[in-house]
């Protein structure tokens, strides 16, 4: 007795299903959905990259502003005299700068000296350096301040 194998409609490795040939691949709807997902993903990625490049440019501008303000503060007392007033200079690297030097009045209780009979040996000054630049339609500014001691003002 021999048994013969006769494949039925589902027995031909999935090539026939109820007498119809099935095709492998993606349908048009599946391809359109995949392209829509890809387009949304690329849009989000481009937005992230553009935001990152804008943030990098802004950070670089703030770094230049800090370097300029620090250099102006360091110049006070040597290239820039430690005298009350305001000074501004030529823009450097697209940054304008201003320097303000203001003497500070000491309160008698803060100094520990009897200011009625003794004058302090030095005068403290608040020195503020400001860097300004145009960023699109708005003006950005960065201010650094420090205290410096100068000779006593009579």
């Amino acid at each position: 007795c021999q048994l013969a194998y006769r494949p039925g409609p589902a027995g031909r490795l999935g090539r026939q299903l109820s007498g119809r040939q099935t095709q492998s691949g993606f349908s048009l709807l599946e391809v359109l959905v995949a392209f829509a997902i890809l387009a949304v993903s690329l849009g989000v990625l481009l937005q992230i990259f553009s935001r990152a490049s804008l943030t990098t440019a802004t950070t670089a501008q703030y770094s230049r502003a800090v370097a300029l303000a620090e250099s102006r503060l360091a110049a006070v007392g040597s290239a820039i005299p430690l005298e009350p007033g305001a000074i501004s200079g030529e823009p450097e690297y697209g940054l304008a700068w201003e320097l303000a030097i203001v003497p500070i009045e000491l309160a008698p209780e803060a100094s520990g000296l009897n200011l009625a009979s003794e004058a302090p040996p030095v005068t403290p000054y608040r020195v503020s350096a400001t860097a300004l630049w145009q960023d699109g339609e708005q003006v950005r500014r960065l201010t650094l301040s420090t205290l410096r001691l100068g000779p006593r003002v009579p």
Side-chain angles (χ1 to χ4, degrees):
C1 170
Q2 282 189 341
L3 293 175
Y5 177 71
R6 294 181 191 228
R12 292 193 182 153
L13 301 175
R15 294 192 187 266
Q16 281 188 355
L17 187 63
S18 303
R20 291 183 64 190
Q21 289 274 340
T22 60
Q23 296 181 358
S24 62
F26 298 106
S27 70
L28 179 61
L29 182 62
E30 291 170 332
V31 171
L32 288 177
V33 168
F35 274 126
I37 292 171
L38 180 66
V40 168
S41 300
L42 287 177
V44 169
L45 284 175
L46 286 175
Q47 186 176 18
I48 289 171
F49 285 131
S50 74
R51 177 73 56 155
S53 66
L54 178 65
T55 302
T56 301
T58 303
T59 302
Q61 197 69 7
Y62 271 106
S63 295
R64 284 192 290 274
V66 167
L68 177 64
E70 284 179 341
S71 71
R72 294 297 154 233
L73 288 176
V76 172
S78 58
I80 299 172
L82 185 60
E83 298 172 347
I87 303 167
S88 62
E90 294 294 318
E92 296 180 20
Y93 308 109
L95 301 168
W97 62 273
E98 300 170 351
L99 194 64
I101 303 173
V102 179
I104 297 174
E105 296 292 327
L106 293 177
E109 60 277 353
S111 66
L113 298 173
N114 183 1
L115 293 181
S117 63
E118 298 178 45
V122 292
T123 300
Y125 292 92
R126 176 173 303 282
V127 182
S128 299
T130 302
L132 303 121
W133 69 96
Q134 189 74 31
D135 186 15
E137 293 182 6
Q138 75 183 83
V139 175
R140 294 191 184 261
R141 69 177 50 231
L142 176 118
T143 302
L144 299 179
S145 295
T146 187
L147 295 177
R148 291 285 173 95
L149 296 177
R152 181 168 46 102
V153 177

